[in-house]
Amino acid sequence: DIQMTQSPSSLSASIGDRVTIACRASQDISGSLAWYQQKPGQAPKLLIYAASRLESGVPSRFSGSGSGTDYTLTISGLQPEDFATYYCQQFYGIPRTFGQGTNLDIK
Amino acid sequence: QVQLQESGPGLVKPSQTLSLSCSVSGGSFTRGGYHWNWIRQHPGKGLEWIGNTYYSGSTHYNPSLQSRLTISIDTSKNHLSLMLTSVTAADTAVYYCARSEWYGFDHWGQGILVTVSS
């Protein structure tokens, strides 16, 4: 299985801040990476796919980058609705695997 | 707009079989390019991909669950099913069905909590 490791596991930030979440794969996944946002009691929501492509309807303050084994999700100008848990996930191999999640809360 | 809805019992006894259904509406269930997935989330934990199926009936399973798992699809009824045998407390989770294209899980059901307990 491809292991996905996110850092940090938790993060405190303020409205308007720029935050970055990292995700490392245990092998080269050739950009086959997605990012999801999950709020309590809700299903995850796709934000970014193919490492850097913004899903339709997702605000442009969300961006993704990376290649090979290392990827990042950046949120520029945090809004109140952005405080949630974020997951990375690889689409390169079977089984599909997720990172352990990064909980973003208000400082 | 594609919508997915999970259904099934919320309580299953240990050693029994967990059976869930996912009804899909608002899209072409038999359109090529989509896989139909089951994903679960243990209470307070991260996400675990269980497996998927294609409209043709082909499947991919998580090796950690493969020996107990069956995922099937009924294109005439626009739904997919999950059966997980010999359940234990470790199978207690919120179970989601989700559609995927090549790049991500783009539509999800609301999830259903299944508790394994006597």
Side-chain angles (χ1 to χ4, degrees):
Chain A
D1 297 7
I2 299 173
Q3 305 302 317
M4 306 300 293
T5 304
Q6 285 180 237
S7 60
S9 295
S10 62
L11 178 59
S12 293
S14 300
I15 301 297
D17 282 355
R18 179 177 184 268
V19 299
T20 298
I21 299 169
C23 178
R24 173 166 287 178
S26 59
Q27 67 180 71
D28 186 344
I29 57 172
S30 298
S32 299
L33 185 98
W35 289 97
Y36 301 85
Q37 177 193 68
Q38 187 179 32
K39 297 180 179 178
Q42 297 183 18
K45 173 187 174 184
L46 179 64
L47 299 175
I48 300 283
Y49 65 94
S52 60
R53 299 187 191 182
L54 198 66
E55 174 72 343
S56 176
V58 174
S60 59
R61 62 181 180 272
F62 291 92
S63 63
S65 65
S67 62
T69 60
D70 293 312
Y71 300 86
T72 58
L73 172 70
T74 299
I75 312 172
S76 300
L78 274 172
Q79 298 300 302
E81 61 268 29
D82 299 338
F83 292 96
T85 300
Y86 292 85
Y87 294 94
C88 63
Q89 179 252 325
Q90 63 81 16
F91 249 82
Y92 187 79
I94 294 288
R96 308 306 192 198
T97 48
F98 293 84
Q100 80 278 17
T102 294
N103 183 48
L104 174 59
D105 62 20
I106 299 175
K107 185 183 291 184
Chain B
Q1 177 73 350
V2 175
Q3 292 187 316
L4 297 90
Q5 178 71 57
E6 304 89 349
S7 61
L11 181 65
V12 181
K13 288 182 167 44
S15 80
Q16 293 191 344
T17 296
L18 183 162
S19 295
L20 296 176
S21 291
C22 174
S23 176
V24 180
S25 61
S28 176
F29 200 53
T30 56
R31 173 182 164 184
Y34 297 132
H35 283 85
W36 303 93
N37 300 264
W38 288 99
I39 296 161
R40 69 181 182 180
Q41 187 167 34
H42 296 102
K45 303 295 185 183
L47 298 157
E48 179 184 27
W49 179 79
I50 297 170
N52 68 21
T53 186
Y54 197 55
Y55 77 94
S56 63
S58 65
T59 55
H60 296 96
Y61 294 158
N62 192 321
S64 67
L65 297 167
Q66 185 163 1
S67 64
R68 301 191 289 130
L69 181 63
T70 303
I71 294 175
S72 59
I73 194 167
D74 186 334
T75 55
S76 66
K77 296 181 180 178
N78 274 22
H79 85 256
L80 63 153
S81 301
L82 171 116
M83 289 181 55
L84 188 64
T85 63
S86 305
V87 296
T88 69
D91 295 307
T92 293
V94 174
Y95 286 76
Y96 296 100
C97 56
R99 188 185 82 170
S100 63
E101 294 207 49
W102 59 268
Y103 55 78
F105 302 111
D106 62 347
H107 288 84
W108 296 66
Q110 66 185 24
I112 182 169
L113 174 62
V114 178
T115 301
V116 178
S117 175
S118 55

